[in-house]
């Protein structure tokens, strides 16, 4: 398993799409705060501090996670089906379950790296421009660690779903398109159906699609922690099991 993961890391480091995503997000993360900085400076409005910017725009990072997972899945995983690399890997003698877990692990780590660009780069830049400021409650360091930790956990959950979609459709274009549609529309669909069906509403309330919005809350009650942690872990486990099941039965050409 260790050697399989090493091979996947090597492929990730050589993947141009991964680095293109990282560079593009870094540029956007640097440019986005500057627009607000110069706009507030010209209008005389108080500048955002690093803490305020992180709190105000953390929800936007959910879209970065969704789109990043969709694009990376298409170019990092699905591309291997089109080039014939996947067929060669499957014929290497390793079980398909081990191959899938290794690929999912590295894919999730790549998605995690993408998910941290916006909150880290933007917050550091705004802090350098205007200072970090203060949070109304609790320690700033503890809050940052909590936000980054939950961001990584929820990104891994989205990556597990993205890998499952890739195993089903294999084609890069279909994977990106279907993943984007699924991630962007699932909230609307579940909320709409949930307003009429109690079971679906409960399912949505305790799903990663709803709970990802709670990552940036200043205060999380002790009773809210179990679903906040269990939902992504359960999503990873279920999606990985389904992905392995699909991958084992896939006719790879």
């Amino acid at each position: 398993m260790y050697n399989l993961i090493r091979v996947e890391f090597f492929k990730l480091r050589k993947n141009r799409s991964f680095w293109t995503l990282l560079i593009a997000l870094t540029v956007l993360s640097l440019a986005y705060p500057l627009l607000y900085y110069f706009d507030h400076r010209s209008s005389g409005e108080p500048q955002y501090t690093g803490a305020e910017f992180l709190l105000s725009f953390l929800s936007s990072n959910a879209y970065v996670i969704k789109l990043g997972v969709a694009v990376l899945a298409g170019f990092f995983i699905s591309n291997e089906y089109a080039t014939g690399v996947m067929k060669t890997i499957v014929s290497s003698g390793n079980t398909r379950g081990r191959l899938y877990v290794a690929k999912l692990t590295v894919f999730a780590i790549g998605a995690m790296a993408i998910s941290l660009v916006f909150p880290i780069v933007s917050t550091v830049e705004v802090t350098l421009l205007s200072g970090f400021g203060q949070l109304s409650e609790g320690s700033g360091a503890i809050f940052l660690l909590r936000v980054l930790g939950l961001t990584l956990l929820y990104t891994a959950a989205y990556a597990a779903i993205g890998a499952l979609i890739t195993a089903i459709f294999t084609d890069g274009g279909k994977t990106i398109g279907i993943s984007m549609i699924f991630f962007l529309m699932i909230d609307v669909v579940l909320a709409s159906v949930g307003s009429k069906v109690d079971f679906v509403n409960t399912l949505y309330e305790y799903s990663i699609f709803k709970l990802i919005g709670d990552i940036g809350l200043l205060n999380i009650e002790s009773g809210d922690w179990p679903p906040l942690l269990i939902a992504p872990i359960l999503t990873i486990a279920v999606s990985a099991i389904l992905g392995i099941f699909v991958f084992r039965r896939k006719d790879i050409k």
Side-chain angles (χ1 to χ4, degrees):
M1 177 62 73
Y2 174 72
N3 288 332
L4 289 175
I5 292 177
R6 283 185 60 190
V7 171
E8 293 301 324
F9 266 122
F10 175 80
K11 289 190 287 187
L12 181 66
R13 290 198 302 270
K14 297 296 182 179
N15 190 278
R16 293 182 179 179
S17 299
F18 172 67
W19 290 108
T20 300
L21 275 172
L22 282 180
I23 294 171
L25 284 174
T26 300
V27 172
L28 288 174
S29 299
L30 290 171
Y32 195 47
L34 286 177
L35 295 176
Y36 283 89
Y37 177 79
F38 288 115
D39 182 59
H40 284 212
R41 186 174 182 179
S42 62
S43 63
E45 296 179 38
Q47 293 289 349
Y48 278 112
T49 62
E52 290 172 338
F53 189 88
L54 180 62
L55 285 172
S56 300
F57 297 94
L58 193 59
S59 59
S60 300
N61 198 45
Y63 293 99
V64 174
I65 293 172
K66 296 172 183 178
L67 297 178
V69 166
V71 173
L72 188 61
F75 287 106
F76 177 60
I77 302 179
S78 293
N79 185 55
E80 294 191 349
Y81 288 97
T83 58
V85 173
M86 190 66 75
K87 183 178 181 180
T88 303
I89 295 174
V90 170
S91 303
S92 65
N94 291 289
T95 64
R96 290 198 179 192
R98 289 163 62 89
L99 291 171
Y100 186 88
V101 171
K103 190 166 291 293
L104 172 59
T105 300
V106 176
F107 170 59
I109 292 174
M112 288 178 183
I114 291 172
S115 72
L116 291 181
V117 173
F118 183 82
I120 291 179
V121 174
S122 294
T123 302
V124 168
E125 181 182 30
V126 176
T127 298
L128 292 175
L129 292 172
S130 312
F132 183 74
Q134 293 182 342
L135 297 170
S136 58
E137 298 288 345
S139 168
I142 294 175
F143 174 76
L144 285 174
L145 289 175
R146 191 194 78 196
V147 165
L148 296 180
L150 289 175
T151 296
L152 292 176
L153 182 59
Y154 275 76
T155 301
Y158 273 92
I161 296 174
L164 173 59
I165 294 174
T166 305
I168 295 172
F169 296 100
T170 66
D171 180 76
K174 289 181 180 178
T175 295
I176 295 174
I178 292 172
S179 296
M180 284 186 176
I181 293 172
F182 176 80
F183 289 141
L184 295 176
M185 294 300 296
I186 188 65
D187 291 272
V188 177
V189 173
L190 290 178
S192 178
V193 177
S195 63
K196 301 176 182 178
V197 183
D198 290 339
F199 170 75
V200 176
N201 182 60
T202 301
L203 184 66
Y204 176 56
E205 290 292 327
Y206 290 98
S207 70
I208 62 169
F209 311 114
K210 179 69 163 38
L211 292 174
I212 193 172
D214 294 341
I215 288 178
L217 294 178
L218 277 175
N219 295 307
I220 299 178
E221 301 295 333
S222 58
D224 295 331
W225 274 106
L228 197 61
L229 295 175
I230 293 174
I233 293 173
L234 190 60
T235 300
I236 294 170
V238 172
S239 297
I241 292 172
L242 291 176
I244 292 172
F245 178 82
V246 172
F247 189 63
R248 280 176 174 172
R249 285 156 178 77
K250 199 76 176 179
D251 182 20
I252 302 175
K253 300 179 181 180

